[in-house]
């Protein structure tokens, strides 16, 4: 797993281990429903496609590293949208499993999750986990910040505090509410 650096380009790491530099400061990435094709749109005229081979012996995990000064939007294979802020990293499967949709975030992401009551969407951070069925929310979980926050825009989320020995507190947020840890 690669860390966020003061690199001048965002990096997309596909499940086969290949790494691709993303040239512009604002980039749109879109995964096909099967996760086997990735389209990168840098502006209205430029589109680059990569094959994202998923083999049974590999986990199919992808990473996006967004350096400071860059922003990135991502459409996951389930249709959920993620807007990653500068200095962020997202680790996610190219295709979600049958039972759930889990991603890991360092930094800040604004999530617009496709509704699927049979497959909860979980955003994991070092300090809190956010579980949703379909909603819009923002998470800020930068390593250097003293506060981690989750703010709900639409829908309903369950926020679980992590790393407690006995009691992992849970909070249910309503639209307009936030949780700050």
């Amino acid at each position: 797993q690669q860390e966020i650096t003061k690199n001048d380009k965002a990096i997309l790491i596909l499940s086969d281990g290949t790494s691709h530099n993303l040239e512009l400061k604002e980039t749109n990435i879109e995964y096909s429903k099967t996760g086997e094709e990735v389209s990168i749109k840098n502006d209205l005229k430029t589109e680059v496609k990569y094959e994202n081979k998923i083999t049974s012996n590999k986990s199919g995990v992808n990473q996006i590293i967004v350096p400071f000064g860059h922003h990135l939007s991502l459409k996951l294979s389930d249709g959920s949208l993620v807007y990653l802020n500068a200095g962020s990293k997202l680790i996610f499967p190219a295709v979600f499993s049958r039972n759930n949709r889990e991603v890991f975030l360092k930094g800040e992401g604004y999530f617009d999750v496709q509704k699927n009551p049979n497959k909860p969407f979980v955003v994991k951070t070092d300090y809190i986990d956010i579980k949703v069925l379909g909603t819009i929310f923002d998470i800020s979980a930068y390593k250097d910040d003293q506060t981690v926050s989750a703010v709900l825009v639409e829908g309903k989320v369950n926020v679980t505090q992590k790393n407690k020995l006995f009691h992992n507190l849970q909070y249910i947020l309503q639209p307009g509410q936030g949780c700050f840890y």
Side-chain angles (χ1 to χ4, degrees):
Q1 293 184 4
Q2 200 168 341
E3 288 303 314
I4 302 165
T5 62
K6 297 194 189 273
N7 192 357
D8 59 347
K9 295 177 183 165
I11 300 169
L12 169 65
I13 302 169
L14 297 176
S15 41
D16 64 2
T18 58
S19 181
H20 303 281
N21 287 332
L22 306 175
E23 301 296 326
L24 297 181
K25 292 188 181 225
E26 293 194 24
T27 305
N28 299 313
I29 299 173
E30 188 171 320
Y31 277 73
S32 66
K33 289 185 186 228
T34 63
E36 294 180 357
E37 184 175 83
V38 182
S39 299
I40 299 173
K41 300 172 185 173
N42 290 332
D43 57 37
L44 295 174
K45 297 177 185 172
T46 307
E47 182 175 1
V48 178
K49 292 188 179 199
Y50 294 111
E51 190 176 349
N52 188 31
K53 290 188 179 180
I54 302 165
T55 59
S56 58
N57 60 351
K58 293 201 176 192
S59 62
V61 173
N62 290 211
Q63 294 182 57
I64 294 182
I65 301 162
V66 184
F68 292 96
H70 291 249
H71 298 88
L72 193 137
S73 66
L74 169 68
K75 184 174 184 181
L76 298 170
S77 61
D78 72 336
S80 295
L81 299 173
V82 183
Y83 302 93
L84 293 172
N85 205 353
S88 298
K89 176 180 178 179
L90 186 70
I91 300 171
F92 57 98
V95 179
F96 292 108
S97 74
R98 292 182 187 165
N99 303 331
N100 65 22
R101 300 176 286 169
E102 278 187 4
V103 301
F104 181 79
L105 174 71
K106 283 187 183 232
E108 183 175 6
Y110 180 87
F111 291 80
D112 185 346
V113 176
Q114 285 293 312
K115 289 182 174 39
N116 186 342
N118 300 321
K119 266 185 161 177
F121 193 98
V122 179
V123 180
K124 294 179 170 274
T125 72
D126 287 333
Y127 307 102
I128 60 174
D129 291 347
I130 293 85
K131 180 179 178 181
V132 301
L133 297 176
T135 191
I136 301 172
F137 58 98
D138 184 81
I139 303 171
S140 181
Y142 286 104
K143 186 177 180 179
D144 297 339
D145 284 352
Q146 292 184 353
T147 303
V148 175
S149 65
V151 177
L152 182 62
V153 176
E154 183 180 296
K156 191 173 172 182
V157 298
N158 182 341
V159 179
T160 305
Q161 181 183 357
K162 291 172 58 172
N163 302 327
K164 292 291 181 186
L165 205 50
F166 297 106
H167 300 287
N168 288 328
L169 298 175
Q170 292 187 15
Y171 304 95
I172 295 176
L173 300 183
Q174 302 297 329
Q177 292 183 328
C179 178
F180 303 89
Y181 172 72

